[in-house]
Amino acid sequence: MWWILLLVSQAVVIITGIRNEQRAGLWSWSKFVFALSFAALELIILLVPLNYVDLKSRWFVPVMSAASIIAALNFIWMVIVARRWKLPDGRTSLQAYREVHREK
């Protein structure tokens, strides 16, 4: 039953964040879809070894370590790409973030 409350509270936080970003002119739906797709890819990278390599196998630790390293490097790449993503007005998200936070 708690999972329903957690799911609703997560939805409220996400919707509030989207609305705040839209008001500030920083929102990009394509960036949102990219982030969700990226999260799914990261999950797949980490879950595939768990499903296909036996926990008692001597290959489990090396395979899981490799998957974790690939996921971490992929995450670093995603952060770099997301910072250079262009908003509808032509600014990068990093430029827009800096402009918004300088004013406050």
Side-chain angles (χ1 to χ4, degrees):
M1 188 55 109
W2 283 98
W3 69 271
I4 295 172
L5 180 62
L6 291 174
L7 190 65
V8 169
S9 65
Q10 187 67 37
V12 168
V13 168
I14 290 171
I15 291 169
T16 303
I18 289 172
R19 298 287 184 233
N20 289 339
E21 294 288 310
Q22 284 175 333
R23 270 188 242 113
L26 302 175
W27 185 253
S28 169
W29 281 105
S30 57
K31 193 173 185 179
F32 178 69
V33 171
F34 177 75
L36 288 179
S37 302
F38 175 79
L41 176 66
E42 291 288 290
L43 196 64
I44 289 169
I45 289 171
L46 293 173
L47 289 181
V48 166
L50 287 174
N51 286 330
Y52 291 107
V53 179
D54 184 27
L55 294 173
K56 295 177 183 170
S57 169
R58 68 184 183 104
W59 294 104
F60 179 75
V61 172
V63 168
M64 210 47 212
S65 297
S68 299
I69 290 169
I70 290 169
L73 292 174
N74 199 23
F75 182 77
I76 292 167
W77 171 81
M78 193 281 285
V79 169
I80 293 167
V81 168
R83 289 181 139 208
R84 294 182 186 188
W85 200 277
K86 299 282 186 188
L87 293 169
D89 63 3
R91 298 177 296 168
T92 64
S93 58
L94 187 57
Q95 290 169 333
Y97 179 82
R98 287 179 179 157
E99 288 173 9
V100 168
H101 289 294
R102 270 190 215 139
E103 295 172 1
K104 292 183 179 181

